Amino acid sequence: MKKICLIGGSGVLGRFFAKRLSENHELHVADIGLKNRKNKNLYSYYLNLNDEKSIQQFFYNTKKKPFDVLINNAAFTTEMAARNKLTNNIFSTKVFDQTINVNLKGVFLCCKNFIKYHHKKKLDQRVINIGTMYALHSPHHEIYKDEKFFSSISYSASKAGIIGMTNWLATKYAPENTNFNIISPAGVINKQNKNFVKKYSKLIPKKKMASPNQIFSAIEFLISKDSNYVVGQNIYVDGGFTSW
């Protein structure tokens, strides 16, 4: 049984990851949408990635038994911007700043404090950052026309930054037995309207959107013993989208 930290556990993927990981591991899941509580081997925490001091405190408080795995899954999306009544202007500086603060700076701070308080050279440790296929490959903007959501420029920029940061950390800490990698998913099916799913699926060689379980399969591999020679990789789970 590994001790795993999942940052971002209240979204569609986060809830699925938390459920699956807690079945066989001691899971500590932190998110702005959660409360501090414990249920068997599942620990949940309120954590605001905009608050650097609280991130440091979280990793400090859990350092007695170091995490074997850190999964950075939290993200600020256009759907969240809409719920927070922020503008849907694709060039909104406010949305850009908030997206970078959560998606890039937040991941940086979690990696920084994981290294400071949990990194042990004698342990086989893994850090998995969740990206997107839209980090290095542009979305097809026309499929978002007339939809209530879109793929923002700030989201792509923030996730692209994670790739550079992960590569830097991967080469720095591989000699110290901590492997950094990225998983870059395609869009996950989540109550989207039928017209959007049809438009999106036409762009995917597999002709369908991803399921949470298909994304989770990459996590299972990266936390397994068999992946101990996989370092600094950006693993696309995208149904072939990036192969066009």
Side-chain angles (χ1 to χ4, degrees):
M1 177 182 286
K2 297 179 184 294
K3 182 180 180 183
I4 299 177
C5 176
L6 172 65
I7 306 295
S10 62
V12 174
L13 283 179
R15 291 194 300 270
F16 186 87
F17 294 165
K19 180 178 183 298
R20 292 294 305 275
L21 290 168
S22 62
E23 292 172 356
N24 300 303
H25 304 284
E26 177 185 320
L27 181 66
H28 297 252
V29 54
D31 193 288
I32 197 170
L34 299 177
K35 296 181 180 180
N36 295 339
R37 61 182 58 173
K38 178 182 181 297
N39 181 18
K40 295 183 180 180
N41 62 326
L42 174 60
Y43 300 76
S44 63
Y45 309 84
Y46 170 84
L47 183 64
N48 183 353
L49 291 184
N50 286 301
D51 187 344
E52 182 172 354
K53 288 184 178 179
S54 69
I55 295 173
Q56 180 181 10
Q57 193 65 45
F58 167 73
F59 282 94
Y60 176 82
N61 290 343
T62 52
K63 72 174 185 174
K64 187 174 182 180
K65 180 186 175 185
F67 292 131
D68 298 296
V69 180
L70 168 64
I71 303 170
N72 286 307
N73 178 62
F76 187 80
T77 64
T78 55
E79 291 91 335
M80 294 178 69
R83 287 200 299 269
N84 286 277
K85 298 182 180 180
L86 295 175
T87 177
N88 62 357
N89 179 351
I90 60 173
F91 292 112
S92 166
T93 302
K94 190 172 183 178
V95 171
F96 187 90
D97 288 344
Q98 177 67 352
T99 307
I100 295 297
N101 283 341
V102 174
N103 297 8
L104 184 56
K105 185 179 178 181
V107 172
F108 163 74
L109 291 173
C110 288
C111 290
K112 170 186 173 179
N113 286 285
F114 172 83
I115 292 296
K116 183 175 182 178
Y117 295 112
H118 290 259
H119 173 56
K120 304 294 179 183
K121 294 180 182 180
K122 293 183 180 180
L123 293 181
D124 177 10
Q125 295 176 302
R126 315 292 171 85
V127 177
I128 303 168
N129 294 325
I130 305 300
T132 174
M133 66 184 192
Y134 286 164
L136 297 181
H137 299 265
S138 174
H140 290 246
H141 303 292
E142 67 274 9
I143 70 171
Y144 295 94
K145 186 179 180 180
D146 299 325
E147 300 292 340
K148 295 180 179 180
F149 57 91
F150 58 94
S151 182
S152 72
I153 186 172
S154 54
Y155 189 79
S156 291
S158 65
K159 294 296 188 176
I162 288 176
I163 294 173
M165 181 169 63
T166 302
N167 288 338
W168 192 99
L169 290 165
T171 54
K172 175 71 173 178
Y173 290 101
E176 298 182 13
N177 221 24
T178 295
N179 294 352
F180 285 78
N181 290 286
I182 309 168
I183 295 172
S184 291
V188 176
I189 193 73
N190 179 31
K191 300 178 182 179
Q192 295 95 343
N193 67 69
K194 291 182 180 179
N195 185 49
F196 177 79
V197 172
K198 183 179 179 181
K199 290 186 294 182
Y200 192 101
S201 298
K202 286 181 178 180
L203 303 172
I204 307 293
K206 290 289 284 187
K207 301 303 179 187
K208 60 182 179 180
M209 298 187 75
S211 71
N213 191 59
Q214 287 168 328
I215 310 305
F216 183 72
S217 67
I219 289 180
E220 283 189 301
F221 169 65
L222 287 177
I223 68 176
S224 72
K225 184 178 179 181
D226 292 337
S227 70
N228 64 359
Y229 203 63
V230 179
V231 177
Q233 297 305 300
N234 184 8
I235 299 176
Y236 287 101
V237 187
D238 64 358
F241 176 86
T242 56
S243 295
W244 286 118

